[in-house]
């Protein structure tokens, strides 16, 4: 039975119309951050969901992307859109060096080693003031100079709606890529690796190669999110490499449902607005409230719906539909 | 960063003296690292639980000791017992309420769900502390804070040496407990082969709870040893938890003497590195050693090779 895609179409239409009806820059900002984290978590989903390798260090790629495009812009005047691709390629290349040792490890050891990697990046970037003539500014972070007007070359827009549509397009692209990979032969290999790596290897799948390939793609898109972040907020700092951000990305994907198409986005849809709202309304006086909520949601999900919210709801929904029909 | 490493240096003193001093301070701090890592190693090695909230537990214990000192004027070395008892029940309860249901549900020995759960709890504990106590760095003032022994020109921070000796003693006690008591034997049996232990009539879930309790108890002591000379902050746990994982892996999973030795090695790298290279680079060096160790020799320095 073919399912009519009513819900996705309605959701997409609502997403496209959103900036037309919501003019308030604050809400638009929150919506952009939600899409950005949905995108970032979806890029994690290729290695974390499809291949089942729960990386705690996705922030490493995010940071590489942000720093690469920003430094290219500041020192060689490379348009950020090109810098975005350069950052993606650099992160993908780095992913080989990161994946090679990490993929030799399983479960908790894999998680810890990816976390260690991103912390190495954070420490190095935090303490490096300059490399040759390039000024990294260490812990202070780098400001991207403000330009006037809306420009795709400078990747800066006065109207936030531009950012909104760009990140929406990027999100749709990563969802498309995800579903293409999932349906391909490669996707089946990854599913086999996720379910039982030893068995997958025993039937002749080169597990390391396919995991590396998944990380490669995942890293590329994770880095592009970094460029977008830099151009949107016009400020980057070493915290982008932190394991705390790595955990946040993983948390969003897992809460929504790792290994499902829409899970990471739904996770972001639930968590990012909470984070944006608390940051604004409670802000300085109650710093960290959003992290209490994040942590609490994660604990609850792990205890009561360990597959994530999307699969949990889908299961209930299906059971409800089945319950409606009388068994013969 | 580790600010406590800043020991006053006089220009007149020779390079050699400061080297010896850094070595001694590294060993003393490393002993405490080792002690904290042993508590993590117990939980990690026996129950196969990756407790990301371990550092947050330490932070809870440190604040407990801190407030007992500030409000009730009870010395940290006395309130150590209180903190240890409190932390035992804290850990026992934690395992009972949060982790056990997951372990009963999932068949894997080290489910990722548990890592995520403990990271969630870490976020909650740390940020609740941040909300309650703010982001200030706190230091306590006791009669012996900052007191040093001058031994032939070598300066040794008193509370560090006391902490080191007490840690060593408690590790020794733990080792005896694991070897000589029935419950200790049950813990070791479960760590070697959970299924077989269960067939011998050992209640493995009870063992897990007790192990979690004991590991947390040790944190209660560790907190009391740290408070007299270390700063207190809601995120202090992060500083220790990653280092502890590094030490546990370096020392070999479940090996108590290995963890202690690795703790001293990490303490030495840190203090000598801070003196002679750059403390931030040393931090990344420790992570690099960690990854290299995981890949090249996953059984650790003193761990047994598995067949």
């Amino acid at each position: 039975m073919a399912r009519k895609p009513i819900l996705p179409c309605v959701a997409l239409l609502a997403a496209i119309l959103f900036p037309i009806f919501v003019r308030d820059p604050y809400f638009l900002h929150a919506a952009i951050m939600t899409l950005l984290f949905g995108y970032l978590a979806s890029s994690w989903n290729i290695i974390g969901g499809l291949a089942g390798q729960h990386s705690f260090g996705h922030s490493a790629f995010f940071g590489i992307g942000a720093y690469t495009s920003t430094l290219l812009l500041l020192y060689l005047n490379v348009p950020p859109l090109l810098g975005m691709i350069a950052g993606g390629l650099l992160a993908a290349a780095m992913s080989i060096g990161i994946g090679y040792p990490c993929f030799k490890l399983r479960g908790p050891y894999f998680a810890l080693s990816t976390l260690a990697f991103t912390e190495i990046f954070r420490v190095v970037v935090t303490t490096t003031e300059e490399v040759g003539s390039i000024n990294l500014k260490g812990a202070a972070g780098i400001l991207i100079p403000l330009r006037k007007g809306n420009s795709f070359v400078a990747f800066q827009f006065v109207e936030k709606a531009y950012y909104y549509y760009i990140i929406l397009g990027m999100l749709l692209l990563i969802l498309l890529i995800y579903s293409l990979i999932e349906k391909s032969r490669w996707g089946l290999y990854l599913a086999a690796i996720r379910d039982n790596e030893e068995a997958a290897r025993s039937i002749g799948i080169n597990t390391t190669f396919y995991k590396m390939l998944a990380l490669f793609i995942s890293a590329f898109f994770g880095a592009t999110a970094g460029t977008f972040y830099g151009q949107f907020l016009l400020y980057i700092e070493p915290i982008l490499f932190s394991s705390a951000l790595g955990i946040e990305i993983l948390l969003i994907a897992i809460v929504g449902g790792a290994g499902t198409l829409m899970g990471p986005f739904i996770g972001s849809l639930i968590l990012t607005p909470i984070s944006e709202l608390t940051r604004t309304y409670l802000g300085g006086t109650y710093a960290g409230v959003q992290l209490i909520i994040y942590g609490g949601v994660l604990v609850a999900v792990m205890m009561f719906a360990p597959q994530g919210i999307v699969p949990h709801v889908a299961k209930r929904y299906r059971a409800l539909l089945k319950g409606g029909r009388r068994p013969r | 960063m580790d600010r406590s490493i800043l020991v006053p240096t006089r220009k007149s003193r020779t390079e050699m003296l400061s080297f010896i001093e850094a070595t001694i301070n590294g060993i003393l701090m490393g002993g405490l690292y080792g002690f904290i890592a042993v508590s993590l190693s117990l939980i990690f090695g026996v129950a196969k639980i990756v407790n990301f909230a371990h550092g947050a537990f330490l932070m809870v214990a440190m604040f407990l000791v801190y407030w007992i000192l500030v409000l009730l004027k009870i010395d940290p070395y006395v309130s150590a017992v209180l903190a240890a008892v409190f932390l035992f029940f804290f850990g026992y309860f934690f395992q009972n309420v949060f982790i056990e249901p997951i372990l009963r549900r999932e068949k894997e020995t080290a489910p990722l769900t548990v890592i995520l759960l403990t990271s969630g709890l870490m976020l909650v504990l740390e940020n609740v502390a941040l909300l309650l106590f703010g982001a200030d760095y706190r230091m306590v003032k006791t009669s012996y804070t900052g007191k040093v022994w001058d031994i032939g020109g070598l300066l040794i921070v008193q509370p560090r040496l006391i902490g080191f000796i007490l840690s060593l003693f408690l590790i020794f006690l733990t080792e005896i407990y694991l070897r000589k008591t029935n419950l200790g034997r049950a813990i070791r049996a479960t760590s070697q082969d959970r299924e077989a232990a269960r067939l011998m009539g050992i209640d493995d879930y009870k063992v897990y709870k007790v192990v979690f309790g004991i590991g947390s108890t040790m944190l209660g002591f560790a907190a009391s040893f740290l408070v007299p000379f270390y700063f207190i902050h809601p995120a202090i746990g992060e500083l220790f938890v990653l280092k502890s994982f590094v030490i546990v892996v370096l020392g070999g999973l479940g090996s108590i003497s290995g963890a202690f030795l690795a703790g001293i090695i990490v303490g030495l790298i840190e203090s000598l590195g801070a003196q002679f290279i750059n403390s931030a680079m040393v931090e990344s060096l420790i992570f690099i050693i960690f990854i290299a160790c995981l890949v090249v020799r996953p059984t650790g320095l003193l761990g047994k090779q598995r067949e």
Side-chain angles (χ1 to χ4, degrees):
Chain A
M1 191 184 75
R3 209 157 46 98
K4 280 180 194 147
I6 296 173
L7 191 65
C9 287
V10 172
L12 185 61
L13 196 68
I16 290 170
L17 294 178
F18 184 82
I20 296 170
F21 290 106
V22 180
R23 284 271 170 208
D24 187 277
Y26 168 67
F27 282 109
L28 207 51
H29 179 95
I32 292 167
M33 291 307 276
T34 304
L35 290 173
L36 175 64
F37 273 95
Y39 176 77
L40 195 51
S42 295
S43 73
W44 176 90
N45 204 19
I46 292 170
I47 183 67
L50 277 179
Q53 306 296 312
H54 289 191
S55 160
F56 277 56
H58 203 59
S59 47
F61 306 127
F62 185 70
I64 290 171
Y67 270 84
T68 307
S69 65
T70 303
L71 292 176
L72 283 176
L73 173 70
L74 295 183
Y75 288 91
L76 298 172
N77 219 3
V78 177
L81 277 176
L82 287 179
M84 187 184 246
I85 291 164
L89 290 175
L90 182 64
M94 297 279 236
S95 82
I96 298 171
I98 296 176
Y100 183 73
C102 293
F103 283 140
K104 291 190 172 173
L105 309 165
R106 300 273 177 280
Y109 298 105
F110 175 78
L112 285 168
S113 62
T114 54
L115 198 147
F117 257 112
T118 198
E119 281 294 315
I120 292 172
F121 276 110
R122 184 189 61 78
V123 171
V124 170
V125 177
T126 308
T127 51
T128 308
E129 289 293 325
E130 48 206 9
V131 184
S133 60
I134 298 167
N135 200 343
L136 275 176
K137 296 193 182 152
I142 304 174
L143 281 167
I144 298 168
L146 191 69
R147 305 273 168 88
K148 279 177 189 161
N150 300 320
S151 158
F152 279 97
V153 177
F155 206 123
Q156 280 193 28
F157 310 97
V158 175
E159 282 167 67
K160 287 198 170 180
Y162 281 93
Y163 289 110
Y164 180 88
Y165 286 115
I166 289 171
I167 192 67
L168 182 63
M170 284 166 75
L171 178 67
L172 292 175
L173 179 70
I174 193 104
L175 293 178
L176 178 71
I177 288 169
Y178 180 91
S179 56
L180 285 178
I181 295 174
E182 193 182 24
K183 288 193 185 92
S184 70
R185 177 172 277 268
W186 173 27
L188 294 176
Y189 289 157
L190 291 178
I193 291 168
R194 177 182 60 202
D195 293 340
N196 189 336
E197 187 158 350
E198 297 307 315
R201 190 180 298 160
S202 73
I203 56 168
I205 297 173
N206 185 346
T207 55
T208 310
F209 175 76
Y210 287 107
K211 283 194 289 186
M212 293 280 256
L213 200 56
L215 185 66
F216 194 85
I217 306 277
S218 191
F220 178 88
F221 287 102
T224 57
T227 301
F228 181 89
Y229 177 91
Q231 292 299 317
F232 179 50
L233 296 179
L234 298 177
Y235 173 60
I236 60 172
E237 54 186 326
I239 289 176
L240 302 185
F241 288 100
S242 68
S243 58
L245 182 65
I247 292 176
E248 205 173 317
I249 297 167
L250 165 108
L251 191 152
I252 288 171
I254 300 265
V255 163
T260 61
L261 177 65
M262 295 305 288
F265 172 65
I266 301 287
S268 177
L269 200 60
I270 295 166
L271 293 173
T272 313
I274 296 177
S275 148
E276 291 295 319
L277 282 174
T278 47
R279 208 169 285 169
T280 315
Y281 289 111
L282 302 174
T285 40
Y286 300 106
V289 169
Q290 91 266 19
L291 289 174
I292 297 175
I293 299 172
Y294 270 39
V297 169
L298 183 62
V299 169
V301 165
M302 284 304 115
M303 294 197 72
F304 304 113
Q307 300 298 313
I309 289 173
V310 168
H312 189 73
V313 171
K315 210 199 271 172
R316 286 286 156 88
Y317 181 66
R318 251 177 258 133
L320 207 71
L321 286 183
K322 274 188 192 141
R325 294 191 211 110
R326 288 259 170 86
R328 278 173 292 174
Chain B
M1 268 327 299
D2 187 351
R3 284 174 186 82
S4 67
I5 283 170
L6 303 170
V7 171
T9 44
R10 277 176 246 135
K11 272 184 189 160
S12 60
R13 291 164 64 218
T14 62
E15 187 94 331
M16 195 60 210
L17 259 172
S18 69
F19 175 77
I20 295 170
E21 203 174 86
T23 309
I24 290 171
N25 274 312
I27 292 173
L28 295 185
M29 196 61 208
L32 268 169
Y33 285 155
F35 182 52
I36 294 166
V38 165
S39 69
L40 185 72
S41 177
L42 260 183
I43 298 172
F44 196 24
V46 176
K48 312 283 181 282
I49 294 165
V50 177
N51 185 17
F52 256 100
H54 205 67
F57 280 29
L58 179 71
M59 178 272 297
V60 169
M62 284 178 85
F63 269 108
L64 186 72
V65 173
Y66 173 83
W67 286 117
I68 289 177
L69 176 66
V70 170
L71 299 176
L72 304 174
K73 310 265 182 281
I74 297 176
D75 189 88
Y77 294 117
V78 178
S79 63
V81 181
L82 282 175
V85 171
F86 176 79
L87 260 285
F88 180 86
F89 289 107
F90 194 73
Y92 192 95
F93 165 85
F94 186 84
Q95 164 73 12
N96 193 21
V97 172
F98 293 110
I99 298 176
E100 199 178 305
I102 292 181
L103 290 182
R104 283 184 189 274
R105 185 181 65 206
E106 297 200 17
K107 286 170 190 71
E108 271 179 86
T109 40
L112 274 165
T113 334
V114 173
I115 305 184
L116 298 169
L117 178 103
T118 54
S119 359
L121 281 159
M122 175 194 78
L123 286 178
V124 172
L125 288 174
E126 266 183 17
N127 290 289
V128 166
L130 188 66
L131 205 61
L132 291 177
F133 309 127
D136 304 329
Y137 287 86
R138 292 161 194 266
M139 280 292 281
V140 298
K141 279 203 182 71
T142 55
S143 54
Y144 42 84
T145 301
K147 273 238 173 108
V148 288
W149 276 305
D150 191 337
I151 303 168
L154 286 174
L155 301 178
I156 294 164
V157 183
Q158 279 186 19
R160 272 195 202 203
L161 185 63
I162 296 168
F164 179 84
I165 292 167
L166 289 175
S167 299
L168 201 61
F169 175 66
L170 285 171
I171 290 172
F172 184 65
L173 275 188
T174 314
E175 188 74 48
I176 288 178
Y177 175 79
L178 290 177
R179 292 196 181 281
K180 300 291 177 198
T181 64
N182 269 338
L183 199 52
R185 289 196 189 97
I187 288 170
R188 285 193 299 139
T190 314
S191 121
Q192 280 164 14
D193 191 331
R194 184 180 165 192
E195 291 303 314
R198 192 191 286 177
L199 290 174
M200 297 298 118
I202 293 170
D203 180 353
D204 49 350
Y205 287 111
K206 188 185 167 201
V207 165
Y208 284 4
K209 276 181 279 204
V210 170
V211 161
F212 223 100
I214 294 174
S216 309
T217 304
M218 293 169 86
L219 286 181
F221 283 113
S224 316
F225 305 157
L226 280 171
V227 164
F229 70 94
Y230 217 85
F231 65 93
I232 303 153
H233 185 266
I236 193 159
E238 286 177 23
L239 216 110
F240 285 95
V241 76
L242 280 176
K243 230 170 261 171
S244 299
F245 276 115
V246 173
I247 292 166
V248 166
V249 168
L250 211 59
L253 201 56
S255 159
I256 287 184
S257 46
F260 190 68
L261 189 70
I264 290 178
I265 292 174
V266 168
L268 274 175
I269 294 174
E270 215 178 59
S271 99
L272 290 176
Q275 193 106 347
F276 299 106
I277 317 170
N278 164 341
S279 59
M281 284 303 158
V282 170
E283 206 183 329
S284 49
L285 182 68
I286 290 171
F287 289 127
I288 291 167
I289 293 172
F290 171 64
I291 294 169
C293 182
L294 271 177
V295 172
V296 179
R297 193 176 162 76
T299 49
L301 296 172
L302 298 183
K304 292 183 194 84
Q305 291 285 353
R306 293 229 176 118
E307 61 276 8

